[in-house]
């Protein structure tokens, strides 16, 4: 035990919860018989080995403890401000530390720990003082303050942030603490259910992605994609990827010398400062489903060809008069339009940012030299972005508590956790690209973070060295060939016109699904619940659900019912000895889900009729 670490953690906790910290100091009677031993994993992480009831269990990988946490963070994705995250089990603190270090301070973290022994051992062995001091992490611990779970839950969980709600169970906690965790998970699920049911239908669903795809598929039918772009332009010249980092203002004017001597791709947020400097990129790329149109609203933007996945904000694509060039963003309906014509929509890897997608696209197009500009991934001059992006003059921010990374021109430079994730992605992707294709990546970002695998060079020197061949890209893009013939385009339109019928069929199937769950509910109340009858009904549930899910249009229901997902998820699994109450709970959740499925199908049917049927 380290008294120094223990006191640091409690002192940090006193900033937010002095009474709770005092409870920890005074706790002497502990009934938990769990024995917690501290070890080090093969990759150098501290981990706990738990002994209880004659069994031994590791709370984390003995050989590889770091990689699962990195994969977990990637699965969580970027969480917006005020997102509520419930972490069940603190373990050795690694998951909590990673969560706190990789999210904004406004993200609401609630930690429920079913074992006071594990909780105290964590405070004694793991320095969490920085994470605790930087934000009010809510700790709920058995034998200390477990009665606070519901009040804490009601404070952080509201309908407006329900879309971003996450519940995460620490690895191996289900083995010993399933009953206590399921009790809290049930409470969470019932609360989310109540919120959904109480909300009116208009607020029940999140439809912006569906609206984007429905509006954008008419452009998909034009048949332009990134592979076609590759075939239209030469790739034996350099490509320049222009991002919106704060250093962009230092050298953006140099791009005039590279025009028509390199393929210039801008991320959407970089457009305004580029156009202000008199530089028009050959194309720009946008990916965000909710991208603020104001960020690209400048004279001259409408004529620039745009590259996007079909889920990108349709307001931006509707504004563009230039060609709209797509890649596979994982959306089922656009892929179906290509599949029914025996073709394939090319894909692009995503590292979480528009610049990551743009770099992957350039690599897959076959460019052998890529120059990166404005790819700071750090707070150069204490600014997050270039002047002229979000504000005409971006403010300097307080960076003293930020993490630091190696800089291109300084030893250390401050950065955010999400920027660091993008930095890691670039290094990983560049390493793989070099191994397979020998790509050359020049980092002409005159500031920012150092990216392993790049050559640091001024933009002026890079242009002089590699930009010599003259190519008029705009003319070649104007003459791009469509992937679809006239007949194939009509075939795609016919498919789109049939989507409202798909949603009507899903709605009718959802009615049958609800009736099946009603029969399951009736069975659970009859006093004659048996494995054979229950499995027969569940088999029908599976068949009806599969009938809905096999349609490409179902994916939008899955994306739209972001909150309804929490209704159908459950810790229950039907087994031979399942009780009547458990079967009834399955039925209750299933009936509620079926009703939401009907409403969502009706909502999307109406939207599809309004947007897709007028397409010709």
């Amino acid at each position: 035990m380290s008294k120094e670490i223990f006191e640091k953690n409690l002192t940090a906790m006193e900033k937010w919860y002095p009474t709770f910290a005092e409870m920890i100091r005074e706790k002497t009677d502990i009934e938990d018989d769990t024995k917690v031993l501290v070890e080090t994993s093969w990759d150098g992480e501290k981990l706990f080995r738990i002994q209880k009831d004659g069994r031994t269990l590791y709370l984390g990988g003995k050989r590889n403890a770091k990689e699962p946490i990195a994969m977990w963070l990637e699965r969580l994705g970027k969480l917006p401000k005020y997102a509520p995250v419930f972490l069940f089990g603190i373990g050795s603190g690694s998951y909590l530390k990673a969560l706190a270090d990789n999210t904004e301070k406004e993200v609401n973290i609630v930690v429920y720990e079913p074992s006071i022994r594990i909780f105290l051992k964590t405070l004694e062995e793991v320095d969490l003082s920085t994470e605790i001091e930087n934000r009010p992490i809510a700790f709920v611990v058995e034998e200390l303050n477990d009665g606070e779970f519901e009040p804490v839950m009601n404070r952080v969980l509201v309908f407006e942030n329900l879309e971003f709600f996450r519940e995460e169970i620490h690895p191996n906690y289900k083995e010993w603490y399933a009953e206590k965790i399921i009790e809290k998970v049930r409470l969470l699920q019932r609360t989310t259910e109540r919120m959904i049911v109480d909300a009116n239908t208009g607020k029940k669903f999140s439809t912006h992605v569906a609206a984007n795809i429905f509006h954008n598929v008419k452009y998909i039918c034009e048949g332009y994609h990134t592979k076609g772009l590759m075939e239209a332009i030469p790739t034996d010249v350099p490509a320049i990827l222009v991002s919106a980092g704060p250093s962009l203002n230092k050298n953006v004017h140099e791009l005039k010398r590279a025009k028509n001597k390199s393929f210039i791709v801008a991320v959407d947020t970089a457009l305004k400062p580029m156009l202000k400097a008199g530089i028009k990129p050959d194309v720009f790329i946008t990916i965000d489903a909710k991208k603020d149109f104001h960020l690209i609203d400048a004279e001259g933007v409408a004529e620039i060809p745009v590259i996007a996945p079909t889920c990108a904000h349709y307001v931006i694509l509707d504004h563009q008069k230039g060609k709209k060039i797509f890649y596979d963003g994982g959306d089922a309906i656009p892929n179906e339009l290509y599949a029914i014509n025996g073709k394939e929509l090319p894909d692009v890897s995503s590292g979480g940012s528009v610049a990551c997608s743009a770099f992957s696209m350039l690599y897959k197009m076959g460019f052998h030299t890529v120059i990166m500009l404005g790819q700071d991934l750090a707070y150069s001059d204490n600014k997050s972005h270039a002047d002229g992006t979000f504000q005409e003059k971006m403010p300097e921010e307080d960076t003293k508590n930020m993490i630091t990374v190696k800089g291109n021109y300084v030893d250390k430079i401050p950065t955010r956790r999400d920027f660091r994730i993008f930095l890691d992605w670039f290094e990983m992707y560049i390493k793989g690209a070099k191994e397979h294709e020998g790509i050359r990546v020049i980092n002409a970002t005159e500031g920012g973070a150092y990216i392993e695998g790049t050559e640091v060079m001024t933009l002026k020197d890079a242009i002089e060295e590699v930009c010599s061949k003259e190519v008029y890209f705009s003319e070649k893009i104007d003459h791009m060939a469509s992937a679809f013939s006239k007949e194939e385009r009509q075939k795609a339109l016919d498919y789109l016109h049939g989507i409202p019928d798909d949603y009507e069929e899903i709605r009718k199937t959802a009615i049958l699904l609800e009736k099946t769950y009603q029969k399951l509910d009736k069975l659970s109340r009859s006093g004659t619940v048996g494995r054979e009858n229950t499995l027969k009904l569940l088999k029908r549930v599976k068949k009806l659900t599969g009938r809905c899910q096999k349609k490409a249009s179902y994916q939008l229901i899955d994306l739209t019912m972001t909150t309804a997902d929490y209704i159908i998820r459950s810790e229950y699994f039907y087994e031979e000895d399942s009780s009547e109450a458990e079967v009834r709970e399955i039925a209750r959740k299933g009936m509620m889900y079926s009703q939401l499925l009907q409403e969502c199908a009706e909502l999307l049917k109406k939207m599809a009729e309004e947007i897709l049927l007028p397409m010709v």
Side-chain angles (χ1 to χ4, degrees):
M1 169 180 173
S2 170
K3 291 184 178 180
E4 181 181 353
I5 292 176
F6 187 71
E7 284 303 320
K8 281 182 69 176
N9 286 329
L10 287 186
T11 299
M13 203 174 286
E14 285 173 340
K15 176 181 177 180
W16 306 105
Y17 310 113
T19 303
F20 182 59
E22 189 60 30
M23 288 173 60
I24 295 172
R25 284 196 173 93
E26 294 177 352
K27 187 66 177 176
T28 56
D29 55 327
I30 299 176
E31 298 179 3
D32 190 340
D33 61 353
T34 305
K35 186 175 182 180
V36 187
L37 304 174
V38 182
E39 294 185 10
T40 302
S41 67
W42 290 11
D43 57 357
E45 285 289 291
K46 184 175 288 188
L47 73 155
F48 289 173
R49 179 161 59 90
I50 311 301
Q51 292 181 345
K52 183 180 175 72
D53 300 330
R55 294 178 58 202
T56 298
L57 199 67
Y58 283 91
L59 297 182
K62 184 177 180 181
R63 294 175 175 81
N64 187 352
K66 292 180 180 179
E67 186 178 357
I69 297 173
M71 293 173 64
W72 175 70
L73 283 175
E74 183 178 352
R75 177 175 63 78
L76 275 183
K78 180 175 172 56
L79 296 173
K81 289 183 177 180
Y82 311 112
V85 182
F86 287 75
L87 185 60
F88 291 90
I90 193 171
S92 60
S94 300
Y95 284 83
L96 173 60
K97 183 182 282 286
L99 181 64
D101 290 347
N102 289 279
T103 56
E104 298 191 56
K105 295 178 182 179
E106 292 82 1
V107 169
N108 294 305
I109 300 176
V110 180
V111 179
Y112 168 71
E113 176 51 58
S115 168
I116 189 172
R117 286 281 187 198
I118 295 175
F119 181 70
L120 293 176
K121 178 62 72 172
T122 303
L123 294 185
E124 293 166 1
E125 298 289 343
V126 184
D127 186 355
L128 296 169
S129 58
T130 300
E131 288 75 17
I132 293 173
E133 189 171 7
N134 283 346
R135 65 169 80 194
I137 299 172
F139 293 98
V140 179
V141 184
E142 288 292 328
E143 290 196 49
L144 276 177
N145 65 335
D146 50 291
E148 290 295 314
F149 185 86
E150 189 167 359
V152 168
M153 175 190 69
N154 291 332
R155 282 198 300 271
V156 303
L157 199 59
V158 294
F159 185 82
E160 286 72 20
N161 66 22
L162 193 57
E163 177 181 354
F164 311 110
F165 160 54
R166 300 288 188 274
E167 58 181 48
E168 302 292 328
I169 301 176
H170 193 287
N172 290 336
Y173 264 72
K174 289 183 182 179
E175 290 292 323
W176 279 334
Y177 304 107
E179 185 177 343
K180 291 180 179 179
I181 289 174
I182 288 174
E183 177 188 335
K184 299 298 188 292
V185 169
R186 286 176 180 170
L187 184 59
L188 272 172
Q189 290 180 341
R190 288 186 180 276
T191 302
T192 58
E193 291 167 15
R194 186 187 69 246
M195 290 179 179
I196 295 168
V197 173
D198 290 347
N200 60 54
T201 302
K203 292 182 179 178
K204 195 174 298 179
F205 304 111
S206 175
T207 58
H208 59 275
V209 173
N212 287 339
I213 291 174
F214 283 159
H215 279 279
N216 291 337
V217 285
K218 62 177 177 287
Y219 303 126
I220 282 280
C221 292
E222 295 172 0
Y224 299 111
H225 53 62
T226 52
K227 188 175 180 181
L229 178 64
M230 176 192 72
E231 293 167 351
I233 64 174
T235 56
D236 58 348
V237 295
I240 300 181
L241 171 55
V242 185
S243 301
S247 69
L248 179 61
N249 301 121
K250 297 178 182 179
N251 55 7
V252 65
H253 58 280
E254 293 284 353
L255 282 173
K256 292 178 181 179
R257 300 171 52 243
K259 184 66 177 174
N260 296 326
K261 294 181 180 179
S262 62
F263 182 56
I264 302 177
V265 180
V267 305
D268 43 19
T269 309
L271 284 170
K272 279 189 173 180
M274 288 180 69
L275 292 171
K276 186 176 182 180
I279 298 113
K280 183 179 178 181
D282 297 303
V283 296
F284 78 91
I285 183 168
T286 185
I287 65 172
D288 194 338
K290 295 183 179 180
K291 195 72 176 186
D292 188 349
F293 175 73
H294 170 74
L295 290 172
I296 67 131
D297 188 13
E299 187 176 353
V301 169
E303 286 72 34
I304 304 171
V306 58
I307 297 171
T310 39
C311 62
H313 196 186
Y314 76 89
V315 173
I316 291 177
L317 270 70
D318 283 350
H319 175 259
Q320 295 311 113
K321 299 175 184 176
K323 276 193 170 58
K324 299 163 184 73
I325 304 166
F326 291 94
Y327 63 85
D328 180 8
D331 303 315
I333 291 176
N335 277 291
E336 189 68 15
L337 298 183
Y338 273 79
I340 61 176
N341 283 304
K343 300 176 186 289
E344 187 175 326
L345 186 61
D347 69 345
V348 163
S349 297
S350 174
S353 78
V354 62
C356 295
S357 295
F359 186 85
S360 173
M361 178 195 72
L362 292 172
Y363 167 69
K364 292 192 174 188
M365 286 178 65
F367 283 95
H368 299 292
T369 301
V370 178
I371 301 171
M372 296 199 296
L373 181 65
Q375 193 58 53
D376 290 70
L377 298 171
Y379 276 61
S380 301
D381 300 322
N382 294 326
K383 293 183 178 183
S384 64
H385 290 80
D387 293 338
T389 53
F390 294 90
Q391 298 180 40
E392 190 60 33
K393 188 74 174 178
M394 291 296 292
E396 292 188 23
E397 299 183 32
D398 184 359
T399 60
K400 66 176 180 295
N401 291 323
M402 287 186 177
I403 59 171
T404 59
V405 292
K406 180 181 178 181
N408 283 321
Y409 296 95
V410 294
D411 290 336
K412 296 289 183 181
I413 190 167
T415 191
R416 297 192 321 223
R417 296 289 175 179
D418 56 337
F419 286 177
R420 177 58 191 265
I421 291 172
F422 303 151
L423 173 62
D424 291 342
W425 182 91
F426 270 108
E427 292 184 339
M428 176 274 296
Y429 201 90
I430 290 170
K431 180 181 179 182
K434 282 179 173 290
E435 290 174 353
H436 288 93
E437 300 291 343
I439 190 173
R440 181 185 185 189
V441 185
I442 298 172
N443 194 349
T445 300
E446 295 178 25
Y450 174 71
I451 303 174
E452 187 74 34
T454 65
E455 302 174 42
V456 178
M457 191 182 302
T458 66
L459 180 59
K460 181 180 179 181
D461 289 344
I463 292 172
E464 288 179 355
E465 180 180 335
V466 301
C467 298
S468 55
K469 181 180 177 179
E470 197 161 47
V471 179
Y472 291 92
F473 293 99
S474 58
E475 293 179 5
K476 295 185 178 295
I477 293 173
D478 286 342
H479 293 92
M480 274 181 67
S482 171
F484 292 152
S485 66
K486 183 178 179 180
E487 292 75 17
E488 288 170 334
R489 183 177 184 274
Q490 187 58 53
K491 191 174 180 180
L493 283 171
D494 291 343
Y495 172 82
L496 294 176
H497 290 160
I499 285 179
D501 293 336
D502 285 351
Y503 287 122
E504 176 60 16
E505 185 179 337
I506 290 172
R507 187 189 70 82
K508 290 178 178 178
T509 304
I511 293 174
L512 297 178
L513 188 61
E514 182 182 3
K515 290 179 179 178
T516 305
Y517 276 119
Q518 287 172 348
K519 290 179 180 179
L520 190 65
D521 179 66
K522 185 177 179 180
L523 180 65
S524 72
R525 298 174 189 277
S526 67
T528 58
V529 171
R531 178 176 176 81
E532 184 178 348
N533 290 334
T534 303
L535 288 179
K536 182 178 179 181
L537 289 171
L538 289 177
K539 185 177 180 180
R540 178 162 173 75
V541 164
K542 185 177 181 180
K543 180 180 179 180
L544 292 171
T545 304
R547 188 187 299 176
C548 295
Q549 294 176 345
K550 72 179 181 179
K551 295 183 178 295
S553 49
Y554 178 82
Q555 187 196 39
L556 286 184
I557 290 180
D558 205 29
L559 292 172
T560 300
M561 292 205 307
T562 49
T563 52
D565 176 57
Y566 298 107
I567 286 179
I568 203 64
R569 280 194 307 160
S570 174
E571 294 295 322
Y572 303 107
F573 298 95
Y574 180 73
E575 297 175 355
E576 190 169 359
D577 58 350
S578 291
S579 69
E580 294 175 1
E582 288 174 334
V583 174
R584 188 155 52 248
E585 179 69 7
I586 294 171
R588 186 184 69 83
K589 289 176 179 293
M591 287 187 289
M592 188 175 294
Y593 176 79
S594 303
Q595 291 163 5
L596 286 171
L597 183 57
Q598 293 168 49
E599 291 183 48
C600 188
E602 181 64 32
L603 177 70
L604 291 180
K605 176 189 174 184
K606 183 178 179 181
M607 185 185 294
E609 288 173 340
E610 292 174 352
I611 300 173
L612 299 180
L613 291 185
M615 292 182 185
V616 293

